[in-house]
Amino acid sequence: MANISAGILMYRYGATGLSVLLVHPGGPYWRNRDLGAWSVPKGELNKGEGAEAAARREFKEELGIEAVGALRLLGEIRQRSGKIVRAFALNGDIEASAIRSNTIVLEWPPRSGHTIRVPEIDRAAWLDLPLARKKILASQEPLLDRLESIATPQSRSSCRT
């Protein structure tokens, strides 16, 4: 059975139109990768945890900010690895440069037996849709299409920093 993750695609409307908040993974593997490396903040569900609760927990862990407000289901996508991601949209406005990610331990270099601690994400950014389409993991791009079809400038934002 495939692993299941849940995440939140935060969006806002500004002078240039619709933009989304994406995160870049931390650690040495992703250090020099930009295009096709960014993601929706997301993570695996804990045993007995619902997708919405997991999405809110992961948002807090990866960004250091509570995801407050009504979530709208964007549906599921399957990543290249086979992992299923259940995504939700949330209208909000946070300061991307103020994020505080949790850290994770990983083996580096691979198969060396040596571990290092790195931030789970090293940065977050608000991106307009054309740029977001270039930077997001290819398997997550359908989430941008789904968001574009349901997001409206009149939506009220509940998550601000």
Side-chain angles (χ1 to χ4, degrees):
M1 183 174 180
N3 289 341
I4 299 175
S5 287
I8 295 174
L9 180 57
M10 184 173 273
Y11 69 96
R12 68 181 182 190
Y13 277 90
T16 60
L18 181 63
S19 60
V20 295
L21 182 75
L22 296 180
V23 297
H24 186 271
Y29 177 74
W30 298 97
R31 185 174 294 137
N32 297 319
R33 294 183 64 190
D34 189 56
L35 298 180
W38 292 68
S39 175
V40 171
K42 61 169 182 46
E44 290 188 14
L45 279 67
N46 292 328
K47 185 175 175 96
E49 184 178 37
E52 185 173 323
R56 289 182 189 278
R57 176 182 49 77
E58 286 292 331
F59 193 90
K60 171 74 172 164
E61 288 176 5
E62 294 187 6
L63 299 168
I65 298 165
E66 296 280 341
V68 178
L71 300 181
R72 295 183 66 185
L73 183 63
L74 293 173
E76 294 182 352
I77 54 103
R78 183 178 295 272
Q79 295 192 158
R80 231 172 56 177
S81 66
K83 180 184 289 185
I84 295 170
V85 177
R86 291 187 184 136
F88 299 88
L90 174 64
N91 185 289
D93 192 4
I94 65 170
E95 182 57 51
S97 63
I99 61 110
R100 292 177 315 279
S101 178
N102 61 324
T103 59
I104 58 171
V105 175
L106 60 89
E107 185 177 19
W108 192 260
R111 296 178 293 285
S112 67
H114 181 260
T115 59
I116 60 173
R117 183 172 289 278
V118 298
E120 189 167 0
I121 64 162
D122 59 16
R123 61 191 180 275
W126 285 103
L127 306 169
D128 63 24
L129 283 184
L131 183 55
R133 290 181 197 289
K134 293 177 183 176
K135 290 194 177 222
I136 199 167
L137 293 165
S139 59
Q140 292 184 15
E141 190 174 353
L143 298 175
L144 300 177
D145 297 332
R146 294 174 194 172
L147 174 68
E148 192 173 27
S149 73
I150 67 164
T152 63
Q154 294 77 26
S155 300
R156 291 286 178 229
S157 174
S158 299
C159 189
R160 294 193 180 276
T161 62

